[in-house]
């Protein structure tokens, strides 16, 4: 039996949870559910970070005791996780006695071994990030992480000898390609480590901050909140409390984080573990941000999405589905109600809900609801079954590669193939013509594919897939094991039941528009081309790239997936050139690409840039360079 231990960051209790918190926790939950369904020994840890200056300020603003504020605020997270169907095995709070004792034991041990020392420190402090920065770290005199104002502070503090592990950490990252994912995040960390690494200030004087875990070797100081918080990943599974439990779960399989806390997890945390003589987690995975209109959500901008609002509008499972299907882990994704509604109506109402409704009604009409036995399979039946088998394989692969959106997209492709299958086989016509055996084969095949869809999507939408199974006479317990998809299913005595639409369409209210005034037809004019400055142009990085391989993307007649060489750097891009170029004709061409374009996902495939092409009418030609030139050369 394989082991799977997944964690989320622990969340600050200075405010209510938002869509970013919900996404990370739903992602961890779906991973945990999938691994349980594969038969893996699974543990899922989440919780709250309850110490530090931000929490102290939030409590003071409300005129409350610190712990009373935490006790009240933590309930918002616990209630939301319950509402979202989160199946965590433990919810840890850093104010709990067992965690406090572990933190103090670790601090004392490191202090006794000389890994922690006291020194005077002068630097710049950001309250928002609760971190110190040197003068050279600042950007325009402000915090390099959040852009807030910083405070000049000079005081005595305790420091962890993080710098002594810099060379070790660089080597470890380079020799363990799965340690920090996606790979470009590992490159970010290595870039950070090119500068000399400072020792880490791990204390705050009580005269400035009283709300924290007291240092066991100096009662005038409390522990730095990040040093305290990171230890939850080991204290939550028995470290220094239960050796057997700790040995069972540590090291973690996957620590999920947002990209904004990459440095703390990919630099602070591994050096702490090294000093503690503990093994590293297998993978630290940094996902992207949810944006609105290409801007990060923040309270100051007033664009934060409250998960409770979306759940009230569309239901828990549809919200979970959108989060997992819309964001490719590692990349940013845009949220808008329009985007949500479009995906809900397309994927869930039109495709999946429609397929279930058709199969359900046709079976009830033909057999009274009894799922019939299949006769001899024809090519179209085999092709349809092959679609869901391929989707199952893709889902398993996507789990290992942390590309769940691609697995979900593959399952929905099989669902769309199901609707095409019914159109092609026309069971309603078979019933009218009295071709009973063929009718039964089509209905059985469609029911079997729907069953497998329910199994594959159950970790994402547990309640809705349970309802889908019930509509086909299948108990929810029979949808839990992906590993069982490899064995035949007993369809005897299964009876379809009439149900309400699984995913009722969302109909947006149309806004009344004022009658348009009649205007004289304007003469056609050539639009004025907006001018840009040289500074605008300098932001676009154009480079030469050599095409290494090219292939078509299934169900996307215009798109090709290209693997490029940018002078020692490999890139993958998706380009809409399939109608102008056959894949095999592109190999070896040197083209021009925009190298600093934000990543995107097209038809479930990640694209890291854009090629340049010229278009005249229907004719499209790639932009190339005059003569031989190496890949990776800057253009401009």
């Amino acid at each position: 039996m394989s082991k799977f231990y997944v964690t989320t960051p622990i969340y600050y209790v200075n405010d209510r949870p938002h869509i970013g918190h919900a996404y990370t926790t739903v992602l961890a939950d779906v991973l945990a559910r999938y691994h349980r369904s594969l038969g893996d020994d699974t543990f899922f840890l989440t919780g709250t970070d309850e110490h530090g200056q931000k929490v102290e300020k939030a409590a003071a603003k409300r005129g409350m005791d610190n712990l009373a504020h935490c006790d009240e605020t933590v309930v918002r997270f616990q209630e939301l996780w319950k509402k979202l169907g989160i199946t965590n095995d433990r919810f840890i709070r850093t104010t709990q006695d067992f965690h406090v004792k572990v933190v103090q034991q670790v601090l004392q041990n490191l202090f006794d071994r000389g890994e922690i020392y006291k020194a005077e420190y002068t630097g710049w402090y950001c309250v928002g990030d609760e971190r110190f920065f040197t003068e050279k770290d600042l950007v325009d005199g402000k915090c390099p992480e959040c852009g807030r104002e910083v405070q000049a502070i000079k005081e005595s503090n305790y420091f962890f000898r993080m710098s002594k592990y810099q060379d070790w950490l660089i080597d470890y990252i380079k020799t363990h390609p799965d340690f920090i994912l996606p790979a470009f995040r590992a490159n970010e960390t290595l870039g950070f480590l090119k500068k000399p690494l400072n020792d880490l200030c791990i204390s705050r004087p009580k005269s400035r901050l009283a709300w924290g875990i007291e240092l066991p070797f100096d009662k005038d100081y409390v522990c730095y909140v990040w040093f305290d918080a990171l230890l939850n990943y080991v204290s939550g599974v028995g470290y220094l409390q239960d050796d057997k439990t700790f040995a069972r779960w540590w090291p973690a399989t996957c620590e999920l984080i947002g990209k904004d806390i990459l440095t703390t997890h990919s630099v602070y945390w591994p050096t702490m573990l090294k000093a503690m003589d503990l093994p590293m987690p297998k993978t630290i995975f940094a996902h992207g941000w949810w944006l609105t209109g290409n801007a990060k959500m923040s309270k100051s901008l007033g664009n934060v999405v409250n998960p409770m609002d979306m759940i009230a509008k569309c239901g828990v499972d549809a919200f979970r589905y959108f989060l997992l299907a819309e964001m490719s882990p590692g990349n940013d994704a845009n949220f808008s109600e329009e985007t949500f509604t479009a995906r809900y109506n397309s994927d869930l109402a039109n495709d999946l809900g429609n397929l279930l409704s058709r199969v359900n009604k046709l079976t009830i009409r033909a057999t009274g609801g009894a799922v019939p036995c299949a006769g001899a399979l024809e090519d179209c039946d085999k092709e349809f079954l092959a679609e869901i088998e391929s989707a199952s394989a893709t889902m398993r692969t996507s789990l290992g590669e942390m590309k769940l959106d691609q697995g979900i997209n593959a399952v929905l492709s099989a669902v769309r193939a199901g609707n095409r299958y019914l159109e092609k086989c026309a069971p309603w016509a078979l019933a009218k013509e009295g071709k009973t055996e063929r009718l039964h084969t089509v209905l059985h095949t469609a029911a079997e594919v729907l069953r497998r869809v329910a199994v594959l999507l159950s970790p994402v939408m547990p309640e809705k897939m349970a309802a889908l199974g019930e509509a086909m006479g299948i108990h929810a317990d029979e949808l839990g094991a992906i590993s069982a998809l490899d064995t035949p299913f007993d369809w005897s005595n299964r009876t379809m039941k009439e149900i309400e639409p699984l995913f009722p369409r969302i109909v947006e209210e149309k806004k009344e528009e004022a009658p348009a005034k009649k205007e004289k037809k304007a003469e056609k004019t050539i639009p004025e081309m907006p001018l840009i400055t040289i500074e605008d142009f300098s932001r676009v990085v154009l480079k030469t790239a050599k095409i290494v391989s090219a292939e078509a993307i299934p169900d996307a007649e215009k798109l090709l997936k290209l693997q490029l060489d940018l002078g020692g750097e490999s890139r993958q891009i998706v380009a809409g050139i399939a109608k102008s170029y056959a894949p095999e004709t592109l190999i070896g061409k040197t083209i021009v690409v925009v190298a600093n374009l934000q990543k995107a996902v097209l038809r479930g495939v990640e694209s890291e840039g854009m090629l340049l092409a010229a278009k005249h009418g229907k004719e499209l030609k790639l932009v190339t360079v005059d003569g031989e030139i190496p890949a990776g050369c800057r253009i401009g």
Side-chain angles (χ1 to χ4, degrees), residues 11 29 65 76 81 169 172 181 214 226 251 334 346 430 457 516 536 550 557:
Y11 307 113
D29 180 65
D65 172 77
R76 297 173 180 171
W81 296 168
L169 181 57
Y172 190 86
L181 292 176
E214 186 178 274
W226 267 112
N334 263 292
S346 173
L430 295 174
L457 293 183
D536 291 329
E557 60 180 6

Side-chain angles (χ1 to χ4, degrees), residues 35-251:
H35 280 277
R36 291 187 196 112
S37 77
L38 289 167
D40 295 337
D41 195 18
T42 301
F43 193 89
F44 169 17
L45 177 71
T46 189
T48 45
D49 184 0
E50 303 187 4
H51 292 123
Q53 198 161 4
K54 282 193 283 190
V55 175
E56 187 178 63
K57 281 195 167 187
K61 188 176 181 180
R62 301 176 66 203
M64 294 183 69
D65 172 77
N66 293 319
L67 185 57
H69 164 79
C70 294
D71 289 341
E72 183 178 303
T73 310
V74 72
V75 174
R76 297 173 180 171
F77 288 88
Q78 292 170 331
E79 287 179 345
L80 179 58
W81 296 168
K82 185 176 180 181
K83 187 79 173 176
L84 285 170
I86 304 301
T87 58
N88 53 289
D89 295 282
R90 188 170 195 174
F91 187 100
I92 187 172
R93 298 178 59 185
T94 56
T95 49
Q96 290 174 302
D97 288 344
F98 79 88
H99 176 76
V100 172
K101 290 176 182 176
V102 169
V103 172
Q104 290 182 323
Q105 283 180 267
V106 170
L107 287 166
Q108 187 66 59
N109 179 269
L110 293 177
F111 181 75
D112 292 344
R113 292 194 288 113
E115 296 283 354
I116 291 175
Y117 64 94
K118 191 175 185 180
E120 190 171 87
Y121 180 81
T122 302
W124 299 93
Y125 184 70
C126 173
V127 174
D129 285 310
E130 302 201 33
R131 288 172 60 186
F132 282 104
F133 296 96
T134 62
E135 184 79 38
K136 63 179 172 39
D137 292 327
L138 303 181
V139 177
D140 296 328
K142 296 182 179 179
C143 173
E145 297 294 332
C146 66
R148 297 184 181 95
E149 298 291 339
V150 291
Q151 304 170 3
I153 289 181
K154 182 178 181 179
E155 62 187 19
S156 291
N157 265 309
Y158 287 89
F159 292 82
F160 164 55
R161 297 186 189 276
M162 187 165 67
S163 61
K164 70 184 276 191
Y165 298 108
Q166 181 168 7
D167 291 341
W168 164 81
L169 181 57
I170 291 171
D171 181 67
Y172 190 86
I173 294 171
K174 288 181 176 179
T175 55
H176 294 76
D178 291 336
F179 180 50
I180 303 172
L181 292 176
F184 61 87
R185 298 294 178 206
N187 291 333
E188 285 182 25
T189 300
L190 288 172
F192 176 84
L193 291 170
K194 286 181 179 178
K195 298 182 293 184
L197 190 60
N198 297 319
D199 288 340
L200 179 65
C201 180
I202 56 90
S203 68
R204 301 290 183 265
K206 285 185 179 178
S207 58
R208 182 161 60 83
L209 171 65
W211 183 235
I213 296 175
E214 186 178 274
L215 298 190
F217 42 80
D218 194 327
K219 307 301 182 185
D220 293 329
Y221 290 84
V222 296
C223 182
Y224 171 41
V225 66
W226 267 112
F227 195 94
D228 157 16
L230 288 165
L231 289 169
N232 94 92
Y233 301 128
V234 291
S235 71
V237 286
Y239 182 57
L240 299 178
Q241 310 151 72
D242 183 338
D243 292 344
K244 186 177 179 181
T245 299
F246 185 65
R248 178 183 177 187
W249 296 115
W250 192 261

Side-chain angles (χ1 to χ4, degrees), residues 174-465:
K174 288 181 176 179
T175 55
H176 294 76
D178 291 336
F179 180 50
I180 303 172
L181 292 176
F184 61 87
R185 298 294 178 206
N187 291 333
E188 285 182 25
T189 300
L190 288 172
F192 176 84
L193 291 170
K194 286 181 179 178
K195 298 182 293 184
L197 190 60
N198 297 319
D199 288 340
L200 179 65
C201 180
I202 56 90
S203 68
R204 301 290 183 265
K206 285 185 179 178
S207 58
R208 182 161 60 83
L209 171 65
W211 183 235
I213 296 175
E214 186 178 274
L215 298 190
F217 42 80
D218 194 327
K219 307 301 182 185
D220 293 329
Y221 290 84
V222 296
C223 182
Y224 171 41
V225 66
W226 267 112
F227 195 94
D228 157 16
L230 288 165
L231 289 169
N232 94 92
Y233 301 128
V234 291
S235 71
V237 286
Y239 182 57
L240 299 178
Q241 310 151 72
D242 183 338
D243 292 344
K244 186 177 179 181
T245 299
F246 185 65
R248 178 183 177 187
W249 296 115
W250 192 261
T253 314
C254 181
E255 293 185 352
L256 292 172
I257 62 170
K259 66 179 183 180
D260 50 329
I261 52 175
L262 177 66
T263 301
T264 52
H265 282 78
S266 64
V267 178
Y268 297 6
W269 182 222
T271 55
M272 288 167 60
L273 288 170
K274 181 67 174 174
M276 294 161 63
D277 197 27
L278 290 179
M280 301 299 118
K282 179 179 181 292
T283 297
I284 296 167
F285 192 95
H287 65 71
W289 287 334
W290 280 96
L291 311 173
T292 52
N294 294 315
K296 186 191 176 187
M297 292 184 185
S298 72
K299 286 197 301 177
S300 60
L301 294 176
N303 62 352
V304 175
V305 174
N306 184 345
M308 288 296 196
D309 293 341
M310 292 307 303
I311 291 169
K313 176 177 180 177
C314 63
V316 170
D317 278 12
F319 180 63
R320 286 170 60 105
Y321 176 84
F322 178 82
L323 293 181
L324 271 294
E326 189 69 17
M327 178 181 276
S328 179
N331 297 321
D332 294 339
N334 263 292
F335 179 89
S336 69
E337 290 201 29
E338 294 78 12
T339 305
F340 176 88
T341 300
R343 183 176 278 277
Y344 173 95
N345 284 339
S346 173
D347 292 7
L348 302 181
N350 292 358
D351 295 333
L352 181 53
N354 186 42
L355 180 61
L356 173 63
S357 178
R358 296 170 82 183
V359 174
N360 183 267
K361 290 176 180 177
L362 287 165
T363 305
I364 291 173
R365 193 179 304 155
T367 66
V371 178
C373 295
L377 297 181
E378 296 184 2
D379 287 345
C380 60
D381 308 318
K382 295 174 183 176
E383 289 170 4
F384 183 27
L385 290 168
E387 285 270 0
I388 194 63
E389 287 169 5
S390 174
S392 179
T394 300
M395 180 62 82
R396 296 184 199 215
T397 300
S398 73
L399 277 171
E401 297 178 350
M402 285 296 293
K403 296 178 179 177
L404 278 177
D405 58 314
Q406 294 185 14
I408 292 170
N409 187 60
V411 177
L412 263 291
S413 291
V415 169
R416 296 181 190 106
N419 282 306
R420 294 194 300 269
Y421 172 76
L422 292 184
E423 292 296 330
K424 183 176 182 180
C425 296
W428 47 88
L430 295 174
K432 191 173 182 180
E433 296 165 8
K435 297 179 179 179
T436 305
E437 182 178 346
R438 180 63 193 144
L439 171 64
H440 286 181
T441 300
V442 170
L443 294 177
H444 179 97
T445 302
E448 172 60 19
V449 170
L450 269 172
R451 179 188 74 86
R452 298 191 198 183
V453 166
V455 172
L456 291 170
L457 293 183
S458 187
V460 181
M461 299 185 287
E463 291 183 7
K464 287 293 186 179
M465 293 305 98

